[in-house]
């Protein structure tokens, strides 16, 4: 109440809700905002369900259309090769800015299941993220049997901001399927993929179900209760089935 009576404390919060249960300390803080503007419809529902009375309709994250657009193959060829992608292969892209909460391991397992169930399929993966952090992605790749077909960025370039939006647009253009099957408040890579005409696989919990118009929405296998921000975990079997549907359609 003190915050509402003192203009120095008033603010508008643009908020993503990318977890199943809104922690009480979050609502305790956000109730003092002048307004809470969620990222989308899913986030708006979660904010209102948490009892917040200051919620406005959502304003989604967007992309710059002058940058995020389909390109001719010759215009993204260098990025295509740098990602380890190959002509005639199913080239997967995963962008994992947040290691701990992106559930990359389950997405790798889904790709591995589809690869094992599709003899002769040529598969390539570019995993755009830090090798080490909450976990070691190289260990996950070895366990999934994907280390031999996966490329990752130079850690120095990643740390020093060496990937401009123009560069990432070329990377997305080179992909066959973009994976973002974790619970998102608003999955930016889902928007980016569709902006360049690439199908995406997303999770039914979170914003993906309202975002995805070109791709597949898959279900969760369980709920992760290891942190207070409880999150839905993607089902690797559902991921493999979604890959199969996209490949059968031949949309890339």
């Amino acid at each position: 109440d003190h915050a509402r009576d003192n203009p120095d404390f008033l603010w508008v919060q643009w908020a993503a809700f990318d977890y199943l249960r809104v922690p009480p300390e979050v609502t305790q803080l956000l109730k003092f905002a002048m307004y809470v503007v969620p990222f989308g419809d899913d986030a708006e529902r979660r904010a209102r369900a948490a009892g917040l009375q200051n919620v406005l309709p959502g304003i989604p994250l967007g992309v710059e259309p002058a940058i995020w657009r389909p390109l001719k193959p010759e215009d993204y060829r260098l990025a295509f090769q740098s990602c380890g992608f190959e002509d005639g292969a199913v080239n997967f892209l995963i962008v994992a800015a947040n290691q701990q909460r992106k559930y990359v391991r389950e997405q790798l397992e889904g790709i591995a299941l589809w690869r094992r169930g599709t003899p002769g399929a040529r598969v390539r993966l570019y995993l755009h993220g830090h090798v080490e952090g909450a976990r070691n992605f190289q260990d996950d790749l070895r366990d999934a049997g994907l280390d031999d077909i996966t490329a990752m960025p130079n850690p120095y370039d990643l740390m020093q901001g060496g990937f401009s939006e123009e560069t990432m647009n070329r990377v997305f253009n080179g992909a066959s399927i973009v994976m973002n099957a974790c619970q998102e408040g608003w999955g930016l890579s889902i928007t980016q993929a569709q902006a360049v005409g690439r199908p995406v696989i997303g999770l039914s919990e979170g914003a993906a179900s309202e975002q995805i118009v070109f791709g597949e929405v898959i279900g969760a296998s369980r709920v992760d209760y290891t942190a207070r921000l409880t999150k839905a975990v993607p089902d690797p079997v559902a991921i493999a089935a979604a890959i199969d549907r996209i490949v059968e359609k031949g949309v890339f």
Side-chain angles (χ1 to χ4, degrees):
D1 293 335
H2 171 72
R4 288 195 175 279
D5 294 336
N6 188 334
D8 293 337
F9 283 84
L10 294 179
W11 82 97
V12 174
Q13 181 66 49
W14 194 33
F17 292 85
D18 58 352
Y19 33 78
L20 294 172
R21 172 183 173 273
V22 182
E25 63 267 26
V26 173
T27 53
Q28 179 66 25
L29 174 65
L30 291 182
K31 74 178 184 180
F32 293 116
M34 189 173 182
Y35 298 111
V36 173
V37 183
F39 279 15
D41 294 343
D42 180 81
E44 181 182 347
R45 286 193 297 270
R46 294 180 192 277
R48 294 187 187 280
L52 291 172
Q53 304 298 314
N54 51 352
V55 182
L56 296 183
I59 300 178
L61 286 164
V63 295
E64 173 53 64
I67 296 174
W68 290 94
R69 55 192 176 85
L71 299 175
K72 296 178 181 178
E74 57 266 28
D75 293 330
Y76 61 81
R77 189 67 188 176
L78 183 59
F80 182 90
Q81 294 170 336
S82 298
C83 292
F85 293 156
E86 292 184 0
D87 294 322
V90 181
N91 298 305
F92 291 97
L93 170 63
I94 298 176
V95 178
N98 184 316
Q99 249 216 7
Q100 185 175 5
R101 295 164 56 202
K102 289 297 183 182
Y103 297 106
V104 171
R105 174 63 181 247
E106 287 76 11
Q107 296 183 76
L108 298 179
E109 290 175 352
I111 295 171
L113 281 171
W114 180 80
R115 186 188 187 195
R116 288 197 294 270
T118 314
R122 292 174 57 203
V123 178
R124 293 293 179 269
L125 168 64
Y126 176 61
L127 175 51
H128 189 80
H130 296 281
V131 174
E132 292 191 65
R135 59 189 310 117
N136 187 312
F137 282 157
Q138 289 180 327
D139 291 339
D140 290 331
L141 289 164
R142 279 192 290 268
D143 289 347
L146 300 175
D147 53 320
D148 60 323
I149 53 92
T150 301
M152 294 190 69
N154 181 297
Y156 180 83
D157 291 337
L158 199 60
M159 289 292 294
Q160 298 301 318
F163 294 89
S164 65
E165 282 202 79
E166 290 82 359
T167 297
M168 291 308 297
N169 177 58
R170 291 191 286 270
V171 170
F172 273 76
N173 266 272
S176 305
I177 300 174
V178 176
M179 306 282 297
N180 187 350
C182 59
Q183 187 173 350
E184 294 275 19
W186 189 266
L188 187 55
S189 67
I190 296 175
T191 302
Q192 291 166 331
Q194 294 177 114
V196 306
R198 293 297 182 264
V200 60
I201 294 175
L203 188 65
S204 56
E205 287 287 349
S209 58
E210 68 189 82
Q211 278 181 278
I212 293 179
V213 295
F214 184 41
E216 294 284 337
V217 178
I218 60 102
S221 62
R222 61 185 177 88
V223 174
D224 184 354
Y225 294 104
T226 57
R228 296 196 66 244
L229 300 180
T230 55
K231 294 176 71 71
V233 182
D235 182 354
V237 175
I239 290 173
I243 294 170
D244 215 31
R245 290 192 293 271
I246 291 174
V247 171
E248 285 182 354
K249 292 176 184 175
V251 293
F252 55 81

